[in-house]
């Protein structure tokens, strides 16, 4: 809609303010219109885990928030990133790291969530240390199924939110399996444990669904007595674990790194802490996808896996706070205590009038009780403040002319659209990046079916930002 601000007589005062705001948002977005582009090769499947499903090594753990190896390969090839090192500060399951390494690049990844770290370490173990005799040992496990006959006295560690996640028989089998695997050499026990992590969802009463971990009524969790969710078939432990171990053994030879493969390093921890410790101008590209500003809580979705990895309730709370602010529970972080130079990126977000208007509008909705959660304004503010500091560090760490590729989604709360793509691109520009392109994926969708009904079907963009230093 084009608004002619020279005709104020048409508006009441409130309407005029709204119209000015619309004009401001249009103006802000229009600034980037010529940067928006489509790429016929890139579709939603490629930007999601979907395209990894049949790929050796990538198909083992279904990390739903992953992008595909084909996407990373395509863009690194297209922009001729063919030597040196890349960084992924939100490494997740390590898709960008393993893909870059296969292309001959060294790759550093930072990941906070222990399940992401474990997926990366497990694959590194299989690629670099797992031997043919280790493989033969795993084949013996597949053939003999020792967990079926063992009588054990071992208790699965649980979190408050993971109690009663498995049928009784399955829980007993997991416990025997865990006890028995401890008797194996580390290279074998790591693979056995990893296989178990890969199947937890399918053998449990839970499903990673949308923003939450959904619970099947059969778990008798009594979360909401009205919930009637039934996930359908719950796989049996033996069947699932044998299938997963077989898949790993099948892929093992196929994913052995070739001679020219690059070196992978994993930094376990928060990127806000790790990035400032890395030497400037270290990287030839950054390829990443942060959590979206969409209230998605990784620590809840991955609770079963975290419990199995020995995380306790206190550690879970700490992890939740350390994650990039993208849930309503995140308190604001003392960013200047981490690095005093971040005064600059924080000032840049404060001076972004468009973002400030969005925050003001969200706060107004909060005051008039029209937001479905009062933590949303704080979350959105935290998201952009933290992302600004991370972008500032990424700029420092890239070599001149090197590119940053970022996959991210726009979001909407109570009718207020937040064009994360143009806000972050604007912040990146102020930091010093040149915004080369914002590749838009076709067929956007709303935040949730509820919001779609209420606020229409205007699309929420999913994009890949391409910025150059
Ligand atoms: C969208 S996922 C990345 C997925 C990845 N591209 C892949 O293909 O697997 C975002 C990741 O950022 C991680 N993360 C969130 N906050 C973090 C932080 N402060 N430091 C490091 N990693 C963080 C999450 O744990 C999650 O694994």
């Amino acid at each position: 809609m084009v608004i002619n601000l020279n005709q104020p007589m048409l508006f009441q005062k409130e309407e005029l303010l709204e119209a000015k705001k619309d004009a401001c948002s249009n103006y802000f977005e229009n600034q980037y219109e010529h940067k928006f582009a489509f790429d016929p090769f890139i579709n939603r499947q490629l930007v999601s885990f979907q395209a990894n499903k049949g790929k050796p090594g990538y198909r083992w753990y279904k990390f739903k928030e992953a992008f595909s190896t084909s996407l990373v390969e395509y863009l690194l090839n297209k922009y001729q990133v063919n030597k040196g090192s890349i960084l992924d500060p939100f490494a997740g399951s390590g898709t960008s790291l393993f893909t870059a390494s296969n292309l001959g690049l060294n790759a550093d990844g930072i990941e906070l969530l222990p399940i992401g770290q474990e997926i990366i370490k497990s694959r590194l173990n299989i690629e670099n240390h797992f031997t043919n005799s280790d493989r033969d040992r795993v084949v013996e496990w597949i053939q003999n199924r020792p967990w079926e006959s063992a009588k054990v006295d071992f208790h699965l560690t649980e979190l408050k939110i993971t109690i009663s996640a498995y049928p009784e028989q399955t829980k007993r089998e997991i416990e025997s399996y865990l006890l028995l695997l401890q008797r194996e050499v580390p290279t074998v026990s790591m693979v056995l444990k990893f296989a178990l992590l890969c199947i937890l969802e399918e053998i449990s009463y839970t499903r990673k669904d949308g923003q939450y971990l959904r619970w099947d009524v059969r778990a008798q969790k009594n979360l909401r007595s009205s919930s009637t969710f039934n996930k359908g078939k719950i796989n049996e432990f033996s069947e699932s674990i044998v299938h997963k171990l077989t898949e790993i053994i099948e892929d093992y030879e196929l994913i052995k790194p070739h001679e020219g493969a690059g070196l992978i390093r994993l930094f376990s921890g928060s990127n806000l802490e790790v990035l400032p410790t890395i030497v400037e101008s270290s990287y030839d590209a950054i390829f990443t996808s942060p959590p979206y500003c969409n209230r998605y809580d990784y620590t809840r979705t991955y609770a079963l896996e975290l419990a199995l990895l020995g995380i306790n309730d206190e550690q879970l709370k700490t992890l939740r706070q350390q994650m990039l602010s993208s849930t309503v529970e995140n308190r604001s972080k003392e960013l200047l205590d981490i690095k005093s130079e971040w005064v600059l990126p924080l000032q840049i977000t404060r001076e972004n009038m468009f973002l400030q208007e969005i925050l003001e509008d969200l706060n107004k909705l909060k005051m008039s009780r029209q937001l479905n959660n009062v933590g949303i304004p704080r979350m959105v503010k935290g998201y952009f403040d933290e992302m600004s500091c991370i972008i500032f560090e990424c700029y420092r760490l890239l070599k001149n002319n090197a590119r940053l590729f970022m996959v991210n989604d726009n979001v909407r709360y109570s009718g207020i659209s937040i064009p994360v793509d143009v806000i972050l691109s604007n912040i990146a520009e102020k930091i010093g990046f040149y915004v080369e392109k914002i590749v838009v994926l076709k067929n956007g969708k709303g935040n949730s079916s509820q919001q779609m009904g209420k606020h229409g079907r205007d699309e929420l963009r999913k994009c890949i930002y391409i910025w150059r230093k």
Side-chain angles (χ1 to χ4, degrees):
M1 181 175 67
V2 180
I3 294 161
N4 185 349
L5 291 177
N6 295 326
Q7 293 184 345
M9 298 304 286
L10 293 176
F11 298 99
Q12 300 297 320
K13 194 169 166 228
E14 281 293 298
E15 284 172 333
L16 181 62
L17 273 177
E18 284 310 309
K20 271 190 172 158
K21 266 191 184 156
D22 260 9
C24 166
S25 101
N26 283 343
Y27 170 74
F28 191 78
E29 293 208 54
N30 287 347
Q31 270 186 302
Y32 291 91
E33 208 171 69
H34 63 292
K35 305 282 185 183
F36 289 131
F38 289 109
D39 183 323
F41 183 76
I42 301 177
N43 54 33
R44 286 194 169 243
Q45 201 189 24
L46 210 69
V47 181
S48 74
F49 178 80
Q50 292 295 321
N52 274 347
K53 274 189 172 163
K55 304 264 168 162
Y58 296 96
R59 63 178 178 153
W60 300 336
Y61 191 99
K62 208 196 303 160
F63 196 70
K64 290 192 175 149
E65 301 74 23
F67 43 50
S68 71
T69 175
S70 310
L71 175 77
V72 183
E73 197 175 295
Y74 170 72
L75 285 171
L76 290 180
N77 281 334
K78 179 169 175 166
Y79 288 91
Q80 293 171 359
V81 185
N82 44 28
K83 58 178 185 333
S85 300
I86 67 124
L87 168 73
D88 186 345
F90 296 97
S93 58
T95 315
S96 53
L97 311 184
F98 291 102
T99 310
S101 160
N102 188 44
L103 293 174
L105 298 153
N106 293 328
D108 287 350
I110 310 173
E111 177 54 47
L112 177 62
L113 205 64
I115 178 61
Q117 295 163 7
E118 192 67 17
I119 299 168
I120 295 171
K121 286 190 217 159
S122 296
R123 178 156 170 179
L124 286 173
N125 168 47
I126 295 169
E127 286 192 353
N128 302 319
H129 307 293
F130 196 71
T131 61
N132 285 349
S133 79
D134 291 336
R135 181 204 50 206
D136 295 344
R137 183 68 191 138
V138 173
V139 171
E140 281 175 36
W141 271 66
I142 295 172
Q143 287 166 347
N144 300 336
R145 305 181 173 203
W147 61 87
E148 285 181 350
S149 48
K151 291 254 175 303
V152 292
D153 184 19
F154 180 82
H155 292 289
L156 186 64
T157 48
E158 287 173 302
L159 289 159
K160 276 192 203 127
I161 54 172
T162 64
I163 290 169
S164 63
Y166 310 99
E168 265 313 306
Q169 162 80 4
T170 298
K171 189 170 171 224
R172 274 196 302 277
E173 284 172 317
I174 295 176
E175 288 172 341
S176 326
Y177 183 89
L178 280 172
L179 184 78
L180 293 174
L181 69 79
Q182 289 173 17
R183 300 177 188 163
E184 301 293 334
V185 295
T187 39
V188 171
S189 67
M190 192 171 195
V191 167
L192 294 170
K193 189 158 181 182
F194 173 59
L196 174 58
L197 287 165
C198 294
I199 62 161
L200 284 188
E201 182 182 3
E202 67 192 55
I203 59 171
S204 77
Y205 286 124
T206 68
R207 194 159 80 193
K208 294 175 173 57
D209 236 8
Q211 262 140 319
Y212 301 97
L213 190 62
R214 287 187 85 184
W215 283 81
D216 190 297
V217 277
R218 288 168 285 179
Q220 298 180 329
K221 271 285 247 197
N222 260 342
L223 280 179
R224 283 190 209 121
S225 47
S226 60
S227 163
T228 55
F229 171 64
N230 182 314
K231 71 182 264 193
K233 181 170 185 264
I234 295 171
N235 289 353
E236 301 212 334
F237 177 80
S238 287
E239 179 197 337
S240 289
I241 200 74
V242 162
H243 179 260
K244 187 55 66 180
L245 288 170
T246 309
E247 201 177 78
I248 294 173
I249 294 303
E250 273 171 17
D251 290 0
Y252 153 69
E253 290 288 353
L254 302 173
I255 62 155
K256 280 276 169 222
H258 54 84
E259 254 189 21
L263 214 76
I264 293 178
R265 289 194 302 178
L266 170 69
F267 296 86
S268 299
S270 167
N271 48 25
L272 287 165
E273 302 283 346
V274 176
L275 287 169
T277 66
I278 304 178
V279 178
E280 67 177 45
S281 307
S282 292
Y283 297 106
D284 297 272
I286 291 179
F287 206 114
T288 199
S289 171
Y292 305 153
C293 186
N294 63 0
R295 299 185 58 179
Y296 183 86
D297 185 347
Y298 286 80
T299 62
R300 283 202 170 77
T301 306
Y302 289 96
L304 297 190
E305 290 80 358
L306 295 176
L308 198 92
L309 289 169
I311 300 297
N312 62 32
D313 284 295
E314 267 318 294
Q315 291 168 322
L316 191 76
K317 278 190 205 151
T318 309
L319 265 178
R320 194 170 292 146
Q321 288 307 325
Q322 285 178 308
M323 301 283 284
L324 182 79
S325 286
S326 58
T327 78
V328 289
E329 282 160 84
N330 282 109
R331 292 189 291 273
S332 58
K333 299 184 175 62
E334 298 299 334
L335 295 166
L336 291 177
D337 288 353
I338 303 177
K339 183 162 176 172
S340 56
E341 286 98 314
W342 286 351
V343 70
L344 185 77
L346 293 175
Q347 189 180 336
I348 288 172
T349 56
R350 255 202 322 278
E351 286 173 359
N352 187 310
M353 294 321 291
F354 185 53
L355 172 62
Q356 293 311 320
E357 272 184 16
I358 287 172
L359 292 174
E360 205 181 294
D361 287 349
L362 288 172
N363 273 314
K364 276 190 200 149
L365 287 180
K366 172 180 152 184
M367 301 313 257
S368 58
R369 294 169 189 253
Q370 292 178 71
L371 266 187
N372 60 14
N373 191 294
V374 294
I376 291 171
R378 185 186 55 212
M379 171 191 79
V380 175
K381 178 178 185 309
Y383 187 84
F384 285 103
D385 279 348
E386 291 163 32
M387 280 304 289
S388 188
C389 296
I390 289 166
I391 294 167
F392 180 84
E393 288 302 307
C394 287
Y395 185 81
R396 187 179 68 76
L397 297 183
L398 280 174
K399 295 179 183 164
N400 281 341
N401 281 316
R403 290 185 174 86
L404 183 152
F405 304 86
M406 184 187 292
V407 174
N408 206 336
D409 270 14
N410 288 355
V411 291
R412 181 190 298 127
Y413 292 105
S414 297
I416 297 185
S417 285
I418 308 182
V420 178
D421 47 9
V422 293
I423 299 176
L424 287 182
S425 292
N426 188 262
I427 289 172
E429 262 178 0
K430 295 276 170 352
I431 284 171
F433 276 106
Y434 170 69
V435 175
E436 205 166 307
K437 245 185 218 171
I438 302 176
V439 180
V440 183
L441 285 131
K442 290 190 176 148
N443 294 327
K445 57 179 186 323
N447 232 7
S448 69
S449 50
Q450 223 183 358
Q451 292 212 328
M452 294 272 280
K454 218 165 157 189
H455 306 291
R457 290 202 157 254
D458 47 330
E459 284 198 357
L460 285 175
R461 282 187 301 266
K462 181 177 195 72
C463 299
I464 304 171
Y465 323 150
I466 304 177
W467 305 332
R468 184 155 41 85
K469 177 167 174 179

